[in-house]
Amino acid sequence: MSLQCPLCHSPKIASFHHAMKVGAAIGTVGGVARGVSAALASGQAGAALGALAGPVGITLGSLSGTILGGLAGGAGGCALGAQLGESLDRHVLANNLCLLCGHRFNLA
Ligand SMILES: [Zn+2]
């Protein structure tokens, strides 16, 4: 995709994507937190299942449930945060800078 300055139609545009990175970071943290709470629940379910197989089963069941839940939550939160950040980029922040005339503008 090639950008053009809406004022002088110069194609020399610098784009910033701060909001997207911040959004992804926030989403990752939020997703991990959500994943951990979901993971604790699935860890308990795993432990309950593992209890049928004895003490080793309890440990394996709760561990794998916690790890899987945390990973899934973190990945989902990161994708969500990136989407949020991108829509912020597009609609709120003027993140494109014309290198010719210095005009800042959003994506059309
Ligand atoms: Zn310009």
Side-chain angles (χ1 to χ4, degrees):
M1 190 180 78
S2 65
L3 289 168
Q4 271 196 345
C5 174
L7 281 190
C8 68
H9 303 290
S10 158
K12 292 178 191 271
I13 302 299
S15 293
F16 308 101
H17 294 285
H18 300 305
M20 197 160 125
K21 282 173 191 161
V22 170
I26 292 174
T28 304
V29 171
V32 167
R34 196 182 52 191
V36 164
S37 61
L40 291 178
S42 54
Q44 284 175 348
L49 278 177
L52 297 174
V56 176
I58 293 178
T59 309
L60 284 181
S62 58
L63 262 186
S64 59
T66 305
I67 291 171
L68 284 179
L71 283 180
C78 184
L80 194 75
Q83 278 184 344
L84 278 176
E86 199 184 348
S87 57
L88 263 182
D89 266 350
R90 286 179 187 277
H91 301 299
V92 179
L93 304 172
N95 60 353
N96 296 297
L97 174 68
C98 174
L99 297 177
L100 212 66
C101 71
H103 180 62
R104 294 193 73 161
F105 60 97
N106 283 316
L107 292 177

